[in-house]
Amino acid sequence: MSLGRRLATAAILVTLSIIATTSCHLGSRLNEPTPSATSVSASASICDLLTVSEMETMAGHVPTSFYGYHKIIGNTHRPNLSCTVRFYKSLPDINISYEPRVATQVKVPGDEVPYFDTIASLEGASPFTIDSTQGRGIIFQDLRGSTALAWEYPNGNILSMRMLNHGGSTQHTDPQQRDQNVRILTALIKQVVNRVPSVATGPDNTTSFS
């Protein structure tokens, strides 16, 4: 074989080797797993009430986002706290509110005001207590089809929590979903019931993760 042919053959082999190496490198990069979306830290605070880790322990799922605020309203020094925790598709949203004398996020019949006694009179409502905690509680289902809890403190302020049952109405409630929601909300309210008043009356703050 002439020197020219040998050089041409060598050049072809080097080129093929480079192509093969490049293809393998690109292939390995294409097969790499896609980085997961940014996740919230387990120690992050949800609405200044509890950590993500505590919520995961109670709900069995890691929250994917949350938004909340607490502030003192006007010269009346009325505390107001609101918090929504989302789990994407794994669980219904959890809505938490704390306000004086009424649970405005709770849907009750007609034009009635959702005072605690009004909520307690809803069909199927049942009382509950929390050890070593003053106040009274009610487990119920509101007219939106939400599993809900309400806790009235001795000063008349009300903490309420809701989770929408699958089906979205009292006529199409999934009993297993409702039982799960009751377990989650009961554990949650026991965890935060003594934290809420001090958080709600503390410095105004807004927290979120999405």
Side-chain angles (χ1 to χ4, degrees):
M1 181 182 294
S2 67
L3 179 59
R5 285 191 174 184
R6 289 178 181 175
L7 291 174
T9 302
I12 292 170
L13 291 175
V14 170
T15 302
L16 291 174
S17 176
I18 292 172
I19 293 172
T21 302
T22 303
S23 298
C24 289
H25 180 65
L26 289 174
S28 65
R29 292 185 63 184
L30 290 173
N31 290 328
E32 289 177 358
T34 303
S36 59
T38 303
S39 58
V40 63
S41 167
S43 60
S45 174
I46 298 176
C47 304
D48 294 333
L49 294 176
L50 73 166
T51 65
V52 168
S53 178
E54 288 174 322
M55 180 63 83
E56 180 185 7
T57 298
M58 288 177 285
H61 297 274
V62 178
T64 55
S65 66
F66 57 83
Y67 172 80
Y69 64 85
H70 52 84
K71 60 184 178 181
I72 301 297
I73 299 176
N75 297 326
T76 60
H77 302 291
R78 296 171 55 194
N80 185 280
L81 179 148
S82 177
C83 182
T84 298
V85 185
R86 295 189 170 93
F87 299 86
Y88 190 48
K89 294 182 179 179
S90 55
L91 282 177
D93 296 352
I94 296 177
N95 296 296
I96 304 169
S97 65
Y98 173 76
E99 51 203 327
R101 312 199 68 82
V102 295
T104 58
Q105 300 302 312
V106 173
K107 180 64 175 173
V108 294
D111 296 326
E112 293 189 68
V113 178
Y115 295 117
F116 187 87
D117 287 337
T118 303
I119 295 169
S121 67
L122 293 174
E123 183 178 356
S126 58
F128 72 96
T129 59
I130 299 176
D131 292 343
S132 304
T133 303
Q134 292 186 330
R136 52 179 182 158
I138 290 291
I139 301 172
F140 62 99
Q141 182 166 288
D142 75 1
L143 295 190
R144 294 187 182 93
S146 297
T147 295
L149 305 183
W151 182 265
E152 185 183 47
Y153 293 85
N155 64 1
N157 290 347
I158 297 179
L159 170 64
S160 62
M161 301 181 177
R162 299 183 297 115
M163 291 179 77
L164 185 66
N165 297 321
H166 287 171
S169 71
T170 54
Q171 290 79 21
H172 301 93
T173 297
D174 180 340
Q176 291 184 337
Q177 180 72 53
R178 182 185 184 281
D179 291 346
Q180 172 189 265
N181 292 351
V182 168
R183 287 194 299 270
I184 292 171
L185 292 183
T186 300
L188 178 58
I189 201 167
K190 289 178 179 179
Q191 186 79 9
V192 305
V193 66
N194 291 316
R195 302 176 185 176
V196 168
S198 60
V199 170
T201 55
D204 293 1
N205 193 28
T206 298
T207 58
S208 64
F209 175 84
S210 59

